[in-house]
Amino acid sequence: YRISEPNKPLDWNDERTIGHKDGNITYMNLLPLADEGKLYNFYRGIDFNPCFVTSTDHGESWGGATHFIESELEGRHRPYVRYTGNGTDTIHLCFTDAHPRDFSNSIYYAAFRKGKFFKADGSLIKDLKADGPLRPSEADRVFKGGQGGDPGGPKHADQRGWTSSIVLDAQGRPHLGYSVHLTNEDHRYRIASWNGKAWIDREVARAGHCLYEKESSYTGLITLDPGDPETVVISTNVDPSSGRDSGAQHEIFRARIGQDDDIGSISWKAVTKDSPVRNLRPVIVRGEGYRVISWLRGDFKTYIDYQLDVVGVVEKISQP
C-alpha cells in the first residue's frame, strides 16, 4: 500500500507492506473510527474468514490480526461482507454464510461498536474480545436463503443471496442492496431497509443472466448512493421491471426507490442503451455538491479474463 500526501492525492509515498501469517489475504476495506482514534482495515484472512488489523497512526504501522466473522459451516467456507461506517463510533456490515457457489446463502446484518456486535435494534449480540468472532446465526437475518448446500451444482440454485451494497441514511439507519440467484437466467435485486423498528425487504429489479456459467451467481450488481440511499443504480441485461429478454448486453439503469416501493411501482431509467459491450458493477461516489456514477465497460469473460474501462458520469446535486 501507499499513502498520499494531504490535499495532494496524486503524490504518493513509498510502497509499504503489512506482514501477516494468515495465508492469502484479499478484499481490503479501510474504515476510520474517530472516537477510538483508529483506522480499521478489514480483509479476508484467517481461515478464509473476515478479519481486521488497526492503526493508531493513520496507517504508518499496524497491529495484529483479529478474527472478525467465523463461518459456521462444515469445511472451509468464506462469508462475503460489505462494510460501511459513520466515521465516528460504528461500523455496519452485511454478509453471507459462504460463497453462493457452495451454499444457498441468507443475508445477515450487524453493527460493530466499542468492540461489541449489535443487532439493528441496538440489542447486544456479543463482545468480540470476550466471546470470539461473530457467527452468522447470531446476527440479524434479513433474507432467508434456501436450505443447505447444493450437490447439483450452480445450475440448481435455491435462493442464493449475495451482498452488493450497504449505506446509511441521514438517521444512521442501514440500507442493504443484494442479489438473489433463482436460476442462471433469472437473478433478482433486492433492498432491505431498517426503518427504526423492522427490516423492510423487497424485490426491486430483475438482474438478468449470470455473467458466466461457472460462477453462476455473478451479476452486474446493484449499488446505493451513500449520501442518498433512495438513489439506486443497477446493471442488468433484461428489462429491470418485467424481466423481458431482448438479447441486449448488460446496461446501466437508475431509479428513485423509497421504502414503500417494490418492483411493481419503480420506474427505471436507462443510463446506457444499445451498447456493443457489457456495462457492469456500478459504484456511486459522493462529494460536496456532486455525485459520480461509475461502472466498468467492456469485455468480461471470467474474473481473471477481462478487458474493461472505468467510465462514468458526474452530476451536480443540491442535497447534502
Side-chain angles (χ1 to χ4, degrees):
Y1 70 99
R2 298 174 186 267
I3 299 175
S4 66
E5 292 297 321
N7 302 315
K8 295 181 179 180
L10 299 183
D11 292 345
W12 297 87
N13 66 16
D14 294 335
E15 182 180 293
R16 307 177 190 190
T17 300
I18 302 174
H20 66 91
K21 300 178 181 180
D22 304 328
N24 292 329
I25 65 173
T26 190
Y27 298 141
M28 304 292 116
N29 295 266
L30 292 170
L31 292 166
L33 289 184
D35 283 3
E36 297 182 14
K38 292 180 181 178
L39 175 64
Y40 281 77
N41 184 1
F42 293 91
Y43 61 94
R44 177 200 285 171
I46 299 169
D47 296 333
F48 246 34
N49 285 187
C51 305
F52 68 78
V53 292
T54 61
S55 173
T56 57
D57 53 16
H58 307 289
E60 295 289 338
S61 61
W62 296 89
T66 297
H67 197 163
F68 190 55
I69 300 176
E70 182 179 29
S71 170
E72 295 178 275
L73 305 179
E74 184 177 348
R76 191 184 190 195
H77 289 279
R78 42 191 147 170
Y80 278 79
V81 193
R82 298 283 182 171
Y83 305 89
T84 192
N86 62 8
T88 304
D89 64 357
T90 305
I91 291 165
H92 302 258
L93 48 143
C94 63
F95 57 101
T96 68
D97 302 271
H99 194 297
R101 183 200 314 118
D102 305 318
F103 194 78
S104 298
N105 290 324
S106 295
I107 300 293
Y108 304 91
Y109 165 84
F112 183 65
R113 183 168 53 253
K114 296 181 179 179
K116 299 176 182 179
F117 295 101
F118 298 86
K119 293 187 176 182
D121 65 5
S123 59
L124 175 66
I125 300 174
K126 66 194 304 184
D127 182 295
L128 175 60
K129 186 175 181 179
D131 304 320
L134 180 67
R135 295 187 167 197
S137 64
E138 298 169 329
D140 277 342
R141 187 174 68 186
V142 177
F143 171 82
K144 185 179 185 299
Q147 297 300 308
D150 181 13
K155 289 185 178 179
H156 302 84
D158 182 15
Q159 297 271 5
R160 297 167 183 258
W162 214 356
T163 56
S164 186
S165 181
I166 177 171
V167 300
L168 307 177
D169 61 23
Q171 289 75 44
R173 297 171 179 171
H175 300 259
L176 322 179
Y178 64 97
S179 62
V180 175
H181 181 322
L182 302 181
T183 72
N184 285 10
E185 293 74 36
D186 187 7
H187 294 71
R188 309 293 176 94
Y189 290 132
R190 301 182 66 89
I191 294 176
S193 300
W194 178 253
N195 69 1
K197 296 181 179 179
W199 286 102
I200 308 301
D201 181 44
R202 64 277 193 204
E203 183 177 309
V204 297
R206 301 293 187 96
H209 300 189
C210 65
L211 299 189
Y212 63 103
E213 188 169 315
K214 186 174 181 180
E215 295 288 3
S216 60
S217 287
Y218 281 24
T219 69
L221 297 188
I222 177 173
T223 190
L224 283 60
D225 186 336
D228 174 21
E230 292 191 354
T231 296
V232 181
V233 177
I234 63 171
S235 166
T236 180
N237 68 336
V238 300
D239 182 285
S241 299
S242 69
R244 183 178 62 86
D245 183 358
S246 62
Q249 297 279 7
H250 277 76
E251 305 281 10
I252 302 297
F253 295 85
R254 66 185 296 172
R256 296 283 300 171
I257 301 178
Q259 292 188 24
D260 295 331
D261 289 318
D262 60 22
I263 194 168
S265 62
I266 297 166
S267 178
W268 289 99
K269 297 180 180 179
V271 177
T272 66
K273 65 179 183 178
D274 300 328
S275 300
V277 294
R278 286 173 161 176
N279 298 274
L280 305 171
R281 298 184 171 180
V283 173
I284 301 175
V285 179
R286 286 292 294 267
E288 186 175 350
Y290 68 89
R291 171 193 293 124
V292 179
I293 301 174
S294 64
W295 66 91
L296 300 177
R297 181 176 66 189
D299 185 27
F300 184 97
K301 293 184 174 67
T302 74
Y303 75 97
I304 57 173
D305 184 3
Y306 54 86
Q307 186 65 45
L308 298 164
D309 295 319
V310 179
V311 298
V313 294
V314 181
E315 304 173 339
K316 291 183 179 180
I317 54 175
S318 57
Q319 300 104 306

